[in-house]
Amino acid sequence: MRSGAFLLCALVVTVGIAVGSGGFTSAQADRGVTVEVVGDGDAYMALDYPNETVERDGVVNETISLQFVTVTNQFPENVTLTVDYTVRGEPGLSTSDDNETTLGVGESTDVSAPVTCPSAGDYDVSVEFGATADGPGIYAETSDDRTVEYEVSCE
């Protein structure tokens, strides 16, 4: 009986060594990293935009440019920056567009929305925007859209 049990144990150990345990010797995984973008100078994708209503003057039937954000790339790599924005206001003032550009390390760009005055008068306009940065091993996006308010006076 003892020799039978010994042979059975020896057989189980031998089979276990020959087949292996099914354990891992190494593993590799790609994991995404989400970075919250904030509007301060220490952020990787720094956003500088006005927090107060901006007053602008325009001329009827001429396009004015509403510069609403300056973005600075503070990542250690070049990134492709995309700013999606929507302009809301009186009829004739609404446009929507996006702006895409590549920013090198430490570079900044101003993003503007074109608006044409349809007639003389004062208009309340808002530009709502969000931004993403995409590069080698880098992806960041604004967690919430930002809004810049304007009072446009057309003559």
Side-chain angles (χ1 to χ4, degrees), residues 5-145:
F6 177 75
L7 285 174
L8 182 61
C9 286
L11 180 63
V12 169
V13 170
T14 303
V15 171
I17 290 171
V19 173
S21 65
F24 291 92
T25 57
S26 67
Q28 180 178 350
D30 291 328
R31 297 182 183 188
V33 176
T34 302
V35 178
E36 184 176 341
V37 180
V38 294
D40 63 31
D42 293 328
Y44 282 112
M45 182 173 58
L47 304 174
D48 183 25
Y49 56 95
N51 290 321
E52 298 176 0
T53 300
V54 179
E55 294 182 15
R56 287 295 311 268
D57 293 328
V59 178
V60 174
N61 295 323
E62 289 188 17
T63 300
I64 59 174
S65 186
L66 302 179
Q67 193 269 318
F68 59 91
V69 65
T70 300
V71 184
T72 303
N73 173 15
Q74 298 187 118
F75 285 104
E77 301 282 339
N78 293 348
V79 297
T80 299
L81 169 74
T82 304
V83 178
D84 293 315
Y85 63 89
T86 302
V87 179
R88 290 184 169 70
E90 306 293 323
L93 289 175
S94 295
T95 64
S96 66
D97 205 350
D98 61 18
N99 186 326
E100 183 175 299
T101 188
T102 299
L103 289 179
V105 176
E107 290 182 340
S108 296
T109 188
D110 294 331
V111 184
S112 300
V115 173
T116 302
C117 293
S119 61
D122 295 326
Y123 300 93
D124 292 326
V125 181
S126 66
V127 179
E128 185 176 294
F129 69 95
T132 59
D134 196 6
I138 296 170
Y139 182 80
E141 66 181 348
T142 50
S143 55
D144 295 312
D145 284 346

